[in-house]
Amino acid sequence: MEHTAEDIVLDVRGQICPACLLITLSELNSNKERLKGEKARLVVKTDHRDATRTIPGAAFAMGYSVSVVQKERHYEITLEHEK
Amino acid sequence: MSSAGKIEETDLRTSNERLKKYIREKVNHLLSVMGTKPLNKEELDDSTLIELDPIGIIALSFEQVLEHQKETNRRLTVAKDQLQAVFDTVGVCISIIDEDMRIVNCNEKQKELLVSSNTKAIGRHCYDIYCGKDSPNLDCPAVETLATGKPVFIREVKKKHKHFQIVTSPLNDADGKVTGVIEVSMDVTEKKKVEELMRQAEKLTAVGLLAGGIAHELNNPLGNILGYATLLLKDRESGLRPEHREKLEIIVEQAKKGGDIIRGLLDFSRQSVPSFSNVPINDIIRKTVRTLQNRFSSQRIKTDVVLPETFIVRADPRQIELVILNLLLNSIQAFEGVNGREKTISVRTGRENDFVQVTIADNGPGIPEEILPNIFDPFFTTKPIGKGAGLGLSICSGIIKEHKGSIHAGSEAGKGTEFVFLLPAAGPASG
């Protein structure tokens, strides 16, 4: 589906958990208003497999919907406000 | 540096180490709550740890978790209230029953129809609360669903004098094990009554036509039999021997009985058109009671007639007299074989909205519950063969319906029977 919200891209490739989770949470906190207002989505690029479990788990508890897409050499985790 | 200064620096380092250890422990605890791994000292040295401020990040994240929880709780409360409203206002009874046949939850409709006021239903056995029994019925659909795990549909079940259509569906846990039953039941008592009335009306129409036709055909030959037999009896020159005369008398008597039955059939088929006028119902009642006074006296039946007001009804007085006569005769006959106690027939009139209500009650033995629905059926009788054609109440029902009224009977074994009929009032009640 076409979306009009801005993508905030966070590239944490090369980092492992818990650092990538903490950095993602920090980004979710600092962009809370835009994300909750559906003006932006957070797209996290990670090559750490564990992050595809920890980030969605934490983000879901905070009220975000999550999708994980596997790219050629990394994962793309998209977090947006749960409708 | 002085030795005192060295001691202070050592103390400060020790204190810093303790503090950093504490921060790492607390951060790791919070990270485990978030479902991730503990901090790796090689990847996140002390200065980076302080700079990243993980406790601050997680605290802010928890703030969002709590906000989300609050919003989820609010939505759940709204959804629960909406579901509860649907649960309670839907026109069918819904119960959730556990494997021990105890009521886990039930809606307002269920309580309204089958739970007595001030009775707590939750946690009690459904067969106790809904069916008034000590154990489940053998054909209980909930028992079958619990045993088979399959839905059951029952076309008709009687519970506490009401009729229900029931569907039971299994409640399964995550492993597919049946842990209870959802029972949905619809009260079909009124529908059943309407169906019964329609069935009776159709039957009455068909039987009425048949009876009227046969009565007409039989009336002429029976009239001839009665006429010639009477003539022969009166003929003094016929030379009849006494035993022949006796047999002729039996023929006359039986022909007269046949004539009575034919009149009953003609009344039943109501081939005479009612002639409506405004009549005081109490006058008809008094007249009919007077007609039967000898019967009441000879059978030692006490009459209790209370007619406080004048009620005018739109009716055919001859037909209404027939109805009251039939109902009173019915009450008199109910006392046959009753001895050693006071026998009373009471008659009351009253106003019921746009209708005048007449109640004729006796304290006789009552009508068994199983035959009560059939008493207005044509040819239905509990009397021995030859004692009654079973048309009296059927005629009453037909006449009252033709007057756009209604008639019903209530009875309790050992306590008596009450017939109540309503007729359209012709005007307001007067004293």
Side-chain angles (χ1 to χ4, degrees), chain A residues 16 29 32 50 53 61 63-64, chain B residues 35 37 43 57 64 67-68:
Chain A
I16 60 164
N29 292 334
K32 178 183 155 189
D50 268 6
R53 180 183 60 79
Y64 295 96
Chain B
K37 291 174 182 174
E43 280 201 56
I57 291 172
Q64 287 201 54
E67 279 170 11
H68 178 56

Side-chain angles (χ1 to χ4, degrees), chain B residues 20-267:
Chain B
K20 280 186 278 186
K21 188 171 175 261
Y22 173 79
I23 290 170
R24 277 191 187 275
E25 277 175 8
K26 290 299 154 193
V27 169
N28 284 341
H29 184 202
L30 289 169
L31 286 173
S32 76
V33 172
M34 296 299 276
T36 190
K37 291 174 182 174
L39 293 167
N40 191 335
K41 202 164 184 178
E42 287 71 42
E43 280 201 56
L44 214 65
D45 60 32
D46 292 343
S47 61
T48 318
L49 174 71
I50 303 296
E51 201 180 315
L52 186 62
D53 184 21
I55 293 179
I57 291 172
I58 294 171
L60 281 173
S61 300
F62 273 138
E63 193 180 294
Q64 287 201 54
V65 170
L66 283 174
E67 279 170 11
H68 178 56
Q69 289 289 345
K70 273 187 194 166
E71 177 58 16
T72 305
N73 283 344
R74 191 193 63 79
R75 285 186 194 177
L76 280 173
T77 306
V78 170
K80 182 177 168 278
D81 289 348
Q82 285 171 345
L83 275 176
Q84 188 68 43
V86 172
F87 188 61
D88 282 336
T89 54
V90 73
V92 294
C93 307
I94 305 173
S95 283
I96 299 168
I97 295 162
D98 71 11
E99 8 182 25
D100 296 325
M101 308 290 291
R102 288 181 191 278
I103 301 162
V104 178
N105 200 356
C106 68
N107 70 347
E108 288 300 318
K109 187 77 181 173
Q110 181 82 75
K111 288 179 195 162
E112 178 195 322
L113 291 181
L114 287 176
V115 183
S116 322
S117 52
N118 303 325
T119 300
K120 195 175 162 250
I122 308 300
R124 303 267 303 271
H125 286 121
C126 58
Y127 48 79
D128 170 20
I129 297 292
Y130 299 157
C131 304
K133 304 229 165 142
D134 297 333
S135 58
N137 284 335
L138 287 175
D139 57 353
C140 171
V143 171
E144 193 177 332
T145 294
L146 279 172
T148 62
K150 289 181 179 164
V152 175
F153 171 68
I154 301 259
R155 196 164 289 280
E156 199 181 307
V157 169
K158 199 173 176 192
K159 291 179 177 182
K160 293 187 176 173
H161 307 293
K162 288 191 174 71
H163 297 267
F164 293 91
Q165 275 184 357
I166 295 185
V167 180
T168 50
S169 308
L171 256 179
N172 300 318
D173 65 10
D175 301 325
K177 189 183 161 238
V178 181
T179 55
V181 171
I182 299 173
E183 184 175 292
V184 179
S185 47
M186 189 191 288
D187 181 8
V188 291
T189 313
E190 283 307 312
K191 189 178 160 218
K192 199 176 150 61
K193 270 186 196 165
V194 172
E195 281 173 2
E196 181 58 30
L197 282 174
M198 282 172 69
R199 187 192 65 78
Q200 205 181 36
E202 279 170 14
K203 202 163 138 189
L204 278 171
T205 308
V207 175
L209 283 171
L210 181 72
I214 292 172
H216 266 305
E217 293 300 318
L218 283 176
N219 214 14
N220 286 339
L222 197 66
N224 287 337
I225 292 169
L226 185 62
Y228 282 112
T230 310
L231 278 176
L232 205 53
L233 272 176
K234 285 182 178 171
D235 188 353
R236 293 177 188 280
E237 292 168 10
S238 62
L240 281 172
R241 292 210 297 271
E243 62 268 29
H244 290 151
R245 180 169 287 277
E246 201 177 303
K247 282 172 184 161
L248 257 182
E249 279 168 356
I250 293 171
I251 289 173
V252 169
E253 189 194 315
Q254 293 302 312
K256 280 181 180 169
K257 273 193 181 171
D260 287 344
I261 293 173
I262 284 172
R263 264 190 297 284
L265 287 170
L266 285 171
D267 275 335

Side-chain angles (χ1 to χ4, degrees), chain B residues 311 348-352 355-359 420-423:
Chain B
F311 296 110
R348 299 278 186 278
T349 49
R351 184 78 184 218
E352 186 72 36
F355 291 85
V356 172
Q357 178 175 298
V358 180
T359 307
V420 179
F421 68 84
L422 296 166
L423 287 172

